[in-house]
Amino acid sequence: MIRRYLTELTHTLMIPLEQFISSLMPLQRQLNPFRQPPLLQQFQCDVFLGSLSDSNLKINTDLKGLRGNWKGLYRRFLKAPNFEHWFQSKRSEANRRLELLHIQQLCEADMYRWKQNKHEVQVVDMLLWIRDRYDALQRLGSHKDMRDHLKNHIDTLLEVVPTDLQKTLKPAFSLN
């Protein structure tokens, strides 16, 4: 019973931190499949503490029958090694999610339209970019459907380059 109470209390106190971490993610409309994805915003303790409204803290903690200096508790927690470990885990999770969203947009991009009026150098740069995203997908785990989309994009772009360049590039872009 005590364990459950402490677990519920911990979850209640983590809600504002979870919400703040979510606000650090770039908006999906800021993602462009043809550019590097935007970075996660930096966590700033003062901004987080300033975002805490007394009414939110009161609602969350009154449900548990607790009163206290919650901002002070958060301030101490933000300096603790446990917070750093928790935050690194959340940042990794958010960056992984951001990378997958970005790759998904690249998979959905219209390469037939993009390749029109592009120079060879731009096409080769895009091929390298797609290959890098393909390798990132392998690092992130399964996602066979996305890897198949990226393979199709590579095939589509290889059609645009001259035959002699195709012969050079195809072995480098043959994906398993």
Side-chain angles (χ1 to χ4, degrees):
M1 188 159 142
I2 291 175
R3 179 179 284 157
R4 185 172 68 194
Y5 175 76
L6 291 174
T7 301
E8 288 175 13
L9 182 59
T10 301
H11 287 300
T12 300
L13 293 175
M14 295 307 284
I15 289 171
L17 275 167
E18 295 278 355
Q19 291 171 338
F20 188 75
I21 296 294
S22 294
S23 75
L24 300 177
M25 282 281 287
L27 299 174
Q28 192 164 355
R29 68 174 180 246
Q30 292 174 311
L31 296 176
N32 181 333
F34 306 113
R35 292 195 176 100
Q36 287 281 352
L39 298 174
L40 197 64
Q41 295 177 37
Q42 291 294 317
F43 184 92
Q44 297 175 341
C45 296
D46 293 337
V47 175
F48 168 69
L49 292 170
S51 75
L52 295 172
S53 70
D54 289 330
S55 60
N56 264 355
L57 290 173
K58 187 170 174 15
I59 289 169
N60 285 341
T61 54
D62 278 353
L63 293 174
K64 305 292 179 209
L66 299 172
R67 300 214 182 331
N69 178 5
W70 299 110
K71 286 188 181 182
L73 177 64
Y74 280 115
R75 195 172 284 113
R76 283 191 307 257
F77 177 63
L78 295 176
K79 293 177 184 172
N82 289 343
F83 170 74
E84 190 61 34
H85 174 70
W86 176 85
F87 180 66
Q88 291 303 327
S89 168
K90 289 296 177 180
R91 184 192 343 239
S92 296
E93 180 183 317
N95 282 328
R96 183 180 188 277
R97 202 170 1 166
L98 185 60
E99 192 167 18
L100 281 172
L101 281 171
H102 186 257
I103 293 171
Q104 182 179 0
Q105 279 193 346
L106 181 60
C107 289
E108 295 168 0
D110 184 358
M111 284 298 154
Y112 288 105
R113 200 171 99 198
W114 180 87
K115 70 180 182 178
Q116 294 173 355
N117 303 318
K118 297 293 184 209
H119 298 286
E120 281 178 37
V121 173
Q122 292 170 300
V123 173
V124 171
D125 280 347
M126 181 57 71
L127 283 165
L128 293 170
W129 174 246
I130 293 172
R131 176 59 195 247
D132 180 65
R133 302 293 76 211
Y134 183 89
D135 293 342
L137 270 178
Q138 286 187 309
R139 200 178 61 250
L140 293 170
S142 184
H143 309 288
K144 181 178 176 2
D145 55 331
M146 283 196 227
R147 287 196 318 264
D148 290 343
H149 277 320
L150 295 180
K151 284 180 191 178
N152 289 339
H153 285 345
I154 287 174
D155 292 340
T156 299
L157 293 176
L158 283 173
E159 294 171 1
V160 177
V161 296
T163 310
D164 60 331
L165 188 54
Q166 278 182 23
K167 289 178 184 173
T168 305
L169 292 175
K170 276 191 180 182
F173 288 97
S174 63
L175 306 172
N176 344 354

PDB file of all heavy atoms in Angstrom, residues 109 130 143:
ATOM      1  N   ALA A 109       7.827  11.862 -48.954  1.00  0.00           N
ATOM      2  CA  ALA A 109       8.143  12.938 -49.903  1.00  0.00           C
ATOM      3  C   ALA A 109       8.006  12.442 -51.344  1.00  0.00           C
ATOM      4  O   ALA A 109       8.241  11.273 -51.639  1.00  0.00           O
ATOM      5  CB  ALA A 109       9.566  13.447 -49.660  1.00  0.00           C
ATOM      6  N   ILE A 130      19.695  10.248 -48.101  1.00  0.00           N
ATOM      7  CA  ILE A 130      18.767   9.125 -47.946  1.00  0.00           C
ATOM      8  C   ILE A 130      19.512   7.903 -47.405  1.00  0.00           C
ATOM      9  O   ILE A 130      19.005   7.186 -46.546  1.00  0.00           O
ATOM     10  CB  ILE A 130      18.046   8.811 -49.271  1.00  0.00           C
ATOM     11  CG1 ILE A 130      17.112   9.970 -49.635  1.00  0.00           C
ATOM     12  CG2 ILE A 130      17.261   7.514 -49.178  1.00  0.00           C
ATOM     13  CD1 ILE A 130      16.492   9.868 -51.010  1.00  0.00           C
ATOM     14  N   HIS A 143      11.372  -1.213 -38.716  1.00  0.00           N
ATOM     15  CA  HIS A 143      10.898  -0.232 -39.694  1.00  0.00           C
ATOM     16  C   HIS A 143      11.181  -0.645 -41.136  1.00  0.00           C
ATOM     17  O   HIS A 143      11.641   0.146 -41.949  1.00  0.00           O
ATOM     18  CB  HIS A 143      11.479   1.159 -39.413  1.00  0.00           C
ATOM     19  CG  HIS A 143      11.307   1.597 -38.005  1.00  0.00           C
ATOM     20  ND1 HIS A 143      10.079   1.962 -37.497  1.00  0.00           N
ATOM     21  CD2 HIS A 143      12.180   1.693 -36.973  1.00  0.00           C
ATOM     22  CE1 HIS A 143      10.216   2.288 -36.230  1.00  0.00           C
ATOM     23  NE2 HIS A 143      11.475   2.124 -35.882  1.00  0.00           N
TER      24      HIS A 143
END
